[in-house]
Amino acid sequence: MRPLKKVKFVDLSRQHASIRAKLAETALRVIESGNYIGGSELKQFEKEMAAWLGVEEICGVGCGTSALYGALKCRGIGPGDEVITTVHTAIATPESITLCGADIVFCDIEKDGFNIDLDQLESKIGPKTKAIIPVHLYGQPFDVEKARRIAQKHGLFMIEDCAQAQGAEFAGKKVGTFGDAATFSFFPSKTMGGFGDGGAVTTKDRDLLRKIRMFLNHGRESKYLHEFEGTNSRLDALQAALLRHCLEQIDEWNSKRREAAAIYNEHLSGIDAIKTPKKFPNTTPVYHVYVILAPDRDALGAHLKEKCIDSGVHYPYSLNVLPAYARLNQGKGYFPRAEYACEHVLSLPLYPGIEREEIEYVCETVRKFYAQ
Ligand SMILES: Cc1ncc(COP(=O)(O)O)c(C=O)c1O
């Protein structure tokens, strides 16, 4: 096998290479404009992203966490209410529930995948439940139709957390268009990463979206007329302007992600020890991360490192075992599937721009590890 340079987990400079000149030109234009908060760049980005997603309106916000927080808070969710979400996600998802003063109800993940188990979710619905936040984890859509049926049956507000899945589809339609609301993150390594923090929220309820927009801008629409207290979490003009270029690329970037995943699937098939990501019916994933289930995960990660290959673990801890959630008294053993996942998942390098040769080198290295 030909020795390679380091295989990075993500290489944003490679991903951005084809738009680097445009990005630099735009950055300079915004800097010279002197308009850094709100303004036409933000409006234009919101318009373009709404058109791309196929919704009437989106609101750019400071980050994906604020998008979730704003949606829950402005929907009136607060103390005494319960919100159900998956125990296998970034902490931002449950954090937004706590930020509103509501109680988190964690749910374990499905048997053959990493998304919330919708059957268990239904059994957790009680009189205090007001909302559910399933997450399209790793860029793999959850069954949005089934989740929507459950939400409708029980009169619950459903937020699709699309932070890791911008551009993924369910039954040929983009995720983020099925729930009562949907949230996005532009954290740099996300499928449409920006150049710092950023996020977006959308909902068909125009009054709710207006309220969220105001809430994340100190409760106002005009400069000094604050209708209520909110907070400050806006998408910067510079970020919005740069994201317009990313939006032009996202479909191509996502197809490159899918191509890379297909190469992994092909080359890793036949290694009996590991499990590659399952493809669920009706889904078009975007592989925000390419996650395998691997015995001796830590040893495999160390072996890859020795061979100059970066890898990641999403996530090393199931949220229920973290000190942050000790108050829930749901320690080890409570969510066996998520806990098993956390002990066995390994994310392999994947980003738009990774080369076939690099993927083949990673796969060959994995194969040799299990052949030892
Ligand atoms: C599933 C999920 N939800 C929400 C967020 C929060 O996004 P942000 O980092 O933009 O606040 C993240 C980011 O890690 C995420 O992965």
Side-chain angles (χ1 to χ4, degrees), residues 62-68 88-93 95 135-138 161-164 183-187 190 196-199 288 315:
C63 62
T65 311
S66 298
L68 288 163
H88 191 58
T89 178
I91 193 168
T93 319
E95 228 172 23
V135 179
H136 300 290
L137 200 77
Y138 305 154
D161 183 340
C162 304
Q164 302 191 3
T183 59
F184 296 85
S185 165
F186 307 135
F187 183 84
K190 298 291 201 259
D197 280 315
H288 161 56
Y315 299 91

Side-chain angles (χ1 to χ4, degrees), residues 130-284:
K130 290 286 164 5
I132 58 172
I133 317 180
V135 179
H136 300 290
L137 200 77
Y138 305 154
Q140 303 274 351
F142 61 84
D143 185 339
V144 275
E145 297 290 9
K146 185 168 174 179
R148 192 163 60 178
R149 277 197 302 276
I150 295 170
Q152 279 170 354
K153 180 172 151 198
H154 297 274
L156 304 176
F157 184 64
M158 173 168 114
I159 303 180
E160 284 177 75
D161 183 340
C162 304
Q164 302 191 3
Q166 189 164 338
E169 292 178 358
F170 188 87
K173 222 176 135 212
K174 288 196 179 74
V175 301
T177 56
F178 295 87
D180 297 304
T183 59
F184 296 85
S185 165
F186 307 135
F187 183 84
S189 61
K190 298 291 201 259
T191 60
M192 198 180 82
F195 301 83
D197 280 315
V201 58
T202 183
T203 164
K204 288 177 202 84
D205 180 340
R206 300 198 85 162
D207 291 339
L208 177 60
L209 195 64
R210 177 172 165 258
K211 196 164 174 196
I212 297 170
R213 194 185 284 285
M214 290 172 74
F215 177 69
L216 298 174
N217 187 20
H218 300 297
R220 67 178 162 188
E221 274 179 322
S222 72
K223 198 163 181 185
Y224 294 112
L225 186 60
H226 303 275
E227 292 183 29
F228 53 89
E229 279 184 327
T231 184
N232 177 3
S233 190
R234 304 171 292 225
L235 185 66
D236 294 337
L238 181 59
Q239 207 55 254
L242 297 173
L243 281 165
R244 291 178 65 193
H245 295 299
C246 298
L247 194 61
E248 284 172 1
Q249 297 299 311
I250 186 171
D251 293 336
E252 192 186 322
W253 283 343
N254 281 340
S255 57
K256 287 187 174 164
R257 285 180 181 275
R258 285 191 279 266
E259 279 164 28
I263 303 173
Y264 270 122
N265 289 341
E266 184 193 330
H267 287 266
L268 294 175
S269 72
I271 307 179
D272 292 339
I274 63 165
K275 273 201 185 138
T276 54
K278 182 174 169 187
K279 166 99 169 49
F280 288 86
N282 287 327
T283 64
T284 311

Side-chain angles (χ1 to χ4, degrees), residues 108-140:
D108 209 346
I109 56 174
E110 60 206 346
K111 192 156 161 273
D112 299 324
F114 300 102
N115 281 327
I116 194 164
D117 181 347
L118 292 171
D119 295 321
Q120 284 189 48
L121 180 151
E122 190 158 19
S123 73
K124 287 177 184 278
I125 296 171
K128 292 182 177 171
T129 314
K130 290 286 164 5
I132 58 172
I133 317 180
V135 179
H136 300 290
L137 200 77
Y138 305 154
Q140 303 274 351

Side-chain angles (χ1 to χ4, degrees), residues 297-371:
R297 186 266 318 277
D298 292 334
L300 174 59
H303 179 74
L304 293 175
K305 196 161 184 58
E306 258 172 45
K307 303 289 175 191
C308 300
I309 298 166
D310 286 342
S311 60
V313 174
H314 301 94
Y315 299 91
Y317 306 105
S318 180
L319 290 168
N320 58 304
V321 307
L322 287 176
Y325 295 113
R327 67 177 190 273
L328 301 182
N329 276 324
Q330 297 180 333
K332 205 163 166 40
Y334 221 88
F335 297 101
R337 289 182 186 156
E339 291 168 33
Y340 179 88
C342 290
E343 283 166 17
H344 294 88
V345 286
L346 189 73
S347 309
L348 300 178
L350 188 150
Y351 58 90
I354 191 167
E355 287 168 12
R356 169 179 278 273
E357 226 180 12
E358 292 176 303
I359 299 174
E360 287 173 356
Y361 174 64
V362 177
C363 295
E364 203 42 44
T365 310
V366 173
R367 182 180 301 281
K368 283 193 174 149
F369 174 79
Y370 287 108

